[in-house]
Amino acid sequence: VSRFEGVPMAPPDPILGVSEAFKADKSDLKLNLGVGAYRTEELQPYVLNVVKKAENLMLEKGEYKEYLPIEGLAAFNKATAELLLGADNPVIKQGLVATLQSLSGTGSLRLAAAFIQRYFPEAKVLISSPTWGNHKNIFNDARVPWSEYRYYDPKTVGLDFEGMIADIEAAPEGSFVLLHGCAHNPTGIDPTPEQWEKIADVIQEKKHMPFFDVAYQGFASGSLDEDAFSVRLFVKRGMEVFVAQSYSKNLGLYSERIGAINVVCSAPGVADRVKSQLKRLARPMYSNPPIHGARIVANVVGDPTMFGEWKQEMEQMAGRIKNVRQKLYDSLSAKDKSGKDWSFILRQIGMFSYTGLNKAQSDNMTDKWHVYMTKDGRISLAGLSLAKCDYLADAIIDSFH
Ligand SMILES: Cc1ncc(COP(=O)(O)O)c(CN[C@](O)(C(=O)O)[C@@H](O)C(=O)O)c1O
């Protein structure tokens, strides 16, 4: 008998498992609104033109494939910190930022979790309710305890700001507060600038550590700087901050697994020590990160023409999603006779819309309409075309009532 006899079948991933089910569906009506992956109006995957340009340049140069240092490609680490904080941010000049290239957003979050587990074993991470489906698994597997702060208010289909502040205030001093830098996943609801100020106040008062997850910089509003507002606000206040970054969405580098963990410290010597310990944790985890995506980012950001083209393509992707949001809202408003207010769809930002459909209703979307979405009611508008909005509106109205 096999020694693996006791190994049970793991459940499908709540997000990536939806894509597997979608692939198995034979209907030509099927729509994949599950994983947050950008599609064109023709519902095809999209490789940015600027990425193709950078890759052609790299091919011509015929670059080496030697190991990267544990911390990754230096040119990438410089570019990624500058993109996040602004090239002229004093914390960069003063050597206060420890940046390590890591395996995209997930790997960066996991590496930071390992650091928290080792150096702050008593601390808890506060995560929003709801949050990205993988956050809890990352902290569970890193043996970091977490609890939730209120975030989504189903009554207003908006932010439960009072609840959020109260829960952050009530948490033990020195907790880590996980915040979505922009384009909150799954709700698409972001705090206003004034609310970010208040969130920074309470985190400062309680001596908590802000931990930003920045997976959509430039993809939410179309502007890299606008989408970095929250992070730069906290750094400007002199706060020490963790920031995980990802280039999966804004540069379309999903499977290249390119991202970074940044730790903004309040004293130069400290940043070097933090970086050295992050390296010590990364080495036995995956040793060193993949070079291809790092070179693409470094080449694009390092060349003013390509950087400009990237910003244009980002605005186009964000723009297409905004158009789809508007069209879906128009279709729902025109078709739904119940008088339900669908304007929350227009107030949400980024790839996703949190529809309020419950599990049974989401099942109906899939079983009856072949619309694939996550069971928490989230739909990825990045997987929707203008042409399919009427069909989706019919499915949503049928499922709600
Ligand atoms: C808030 C947040 N943080 C981190 C990540 C990790 O991304 P990566 O490891 O590729 O850099 C995602 C991606 N989340 C998804 O878009 C999603 O929620 O569908 C999807 O890519 C995923 O992995 O689940 C995310 O939404």
Side-chain angles (χ1 to χ4, degrees):
V1 71
S2 160
R3 290 184 62 189
F4 303 115
E5 205 49 52
V7 177
M9 180 61 78
D13 181 84
I15 295 174
L16 301 182
V18 172
S19 299
E20 290 164 26
F22 169 79
K23 286 197 183 80
D25 188 329
K26 296 289 167 266
S27 162
D28 57 14
L29 287 174
K30 67 181 184 178
L31 256 184
N32 187 5
L33 307 184
V35 70
Y38 181 84
R39 294 283 181 274
T40 62
E41 174 64 22
E42 294 70 37
L43 297 184
Q44 294 308 310
Y46 180 60
V47 178
L48 277 75
N49 299 321
V50 80
V51 169
K52 291 177 189 162
K53 268 191 180 178
E55 290 187 308
N56 289 332
L57 276 175
M58 287 152 63
L59 264 179
E60 277 158 29
K61 276 195 221 167
E63 291 169 314
Y64 65 79
K65 291 193 184 294
E66 296 301 302
Y67 282 133
L68 278 174
I70 299 170
E71 68 271 21
L73 184 70
F76 165 78
N77 285 341
K78 178 176 185 299
T80 202
E82 291 180 355
L83 275 178
L84 178 67
L85 301 169
D88 51 357
N89 195 310
V91 293
I92 294 178
K93 292 193 185 72
Q94 293 157 21
L96 297 175
V97 188
T99 301
L100 260 83
Q101 175 191 339
S102 189
L103 307 187
S104 214
T106 304
S108 303
L109 289 159
R110 181 65 184 266
L111 183 57
F115 184 90
I116 291 168
Q117 199 281 329
R118 178 164 294 186
Y119 288 97
F120 302 94
E122 307 309 312
K124 244 183 9 175
V125 174
L126 304 178
I127 59 180
S128 62
S129 169
T131 195
W132 175 42
N134 209 21
H135 277 150
K136 291 175 182 171
N137 304 333
I138 290 168
F139 292 107
N140 284 338
D141 286 5
R143 309 264 183 281
V144 174
W146 52 267
S147 64
E148 293 182 298
Y149 57 83
R150 278 166 280 171
Y151 193 84
Y152 175 68
D153 181 351
K155 289 190 300 304
T156 63
V157 195
L159 176 62
D160 176 1
F161 184 62
E162 287 64 35
M164 175 182 187
I165 295 295
D167 292 344
I168 293 173
E169 207 146 40
E173 208 161 87
S175 296
F176 287 77
V177 184
L178 187 61
L179 299 160
H180 297 232
C182 68
H184 184 270
N185 177 358
T187 66
I189 298 160
D190 284 355
T192 62
E194 299 71 34
Q195 289 173 329
W196 274 122
E197 294 278 2
K198 185 89 181 55
I199 293 163
D201 291 343
V202 67
I203 286 176
Q204 256 177 319
E205 279 151 29
K206 296 290 298 194
K207 298 184 180 56
H208 291 333
M209 174 80 76
F211 182 167
F212 282 97
D213 181 357
V214 178
Y216 298 94
Q217 186 184 356
F219 199 91
S221 69
S223 151
L224 282 162
D225 293 325
E226 244 182 82
D227 287 353
F229 170 80
S230 54
V231 174
R232 294 181 187 178
L233 172 77
F234 282 59
V235 170
K236 199 172 167 69
R237 288 188 178 207
M239 295 167 82
E240 296 192 307
V241 182
F242 277 78
V243 192
Q245 289 175 284
S246 166
Y247 290 90
S248 289
K249 316 335 172 119
N250 58 9
L251 200 43
L253 296 181
Y254 303 90
S255 51
E256 298 293 354
R257 310 313 292 143
I258 177 68
I261 180 68
N262 303 270
V263 186
V264 182
C265 308
S266 55
V270 167
D272 300 335
R273 298 204 304 271
V274 167
K275 185 165 185 170
S276 73
Q277 294 298 347
L278 283 167
K279 285 169 62 178
R280 194 168 69 130
L281 287 161
R283 170 68 167 145
M285 199 186 283
Y286 55 82
S287 184
N288 48 79
I291 198 164
H292 190 67
R295 279 190 174 135
I296 293 173
V297 175
N299 284 325
V300 167
V301 176
D303 173 300
T305 312
M306 285 205 278
F307 191 24
E309 284 169 8
W310 176 29
K311 286 191 257 189
Q312 278 169 0
E313 288 191 86
M314 229 172 335
E315 272 188 66
Q316 283 157 11
M317 290 193 287
R320 190 185 86 72
I321 294 178
K322 281 177 197 147
N323 293 340
V324 156
R325 248 184 217 290
Q326 183 64 53
K327 178 78 176 76
L328 179 59
Y329 169 76
D330 295 344
S331 302
L332 284 164
S333 305
K335 291 166 175 282
D336 187 14
K337 304 298 171 226
S338 72
K340 180 178 168 64
D341 174 9
W342 296 98
S343 60
F344 66 86
I345 290 180
L346 299 177
R347 289 197 304 271
Q348 294 169 353
I349 186 167
M351 267 187 162
F352 305 110
S353 182
Y354 205 53
T355 62
L357 286 163
N358 62 33
K359 186 179 175 323
Q361 293 166 332
S362 304
D363 286 340
N364 183 63
M365 293 286 284
T366 304
D367 302 342
K368 181 172 175 185
W369 296 85
H370 305 281
V371 174
Y372 289 78
M373 56 189 285
T374 48
K375 296 305 169 201
D376 56 3
R378 183 192 87 173
I379 55 174
S380 167
L381 298 173
L384 181 61
S385 59
L386 291 171
K388 291 279 187 177
C389 283
D390 278 337
Y391 178 80
L392 179 60
D394 289 336
I396 290 173
I397 291 166
D398 174 67
S399 304
F400 252 122
H401 307 312

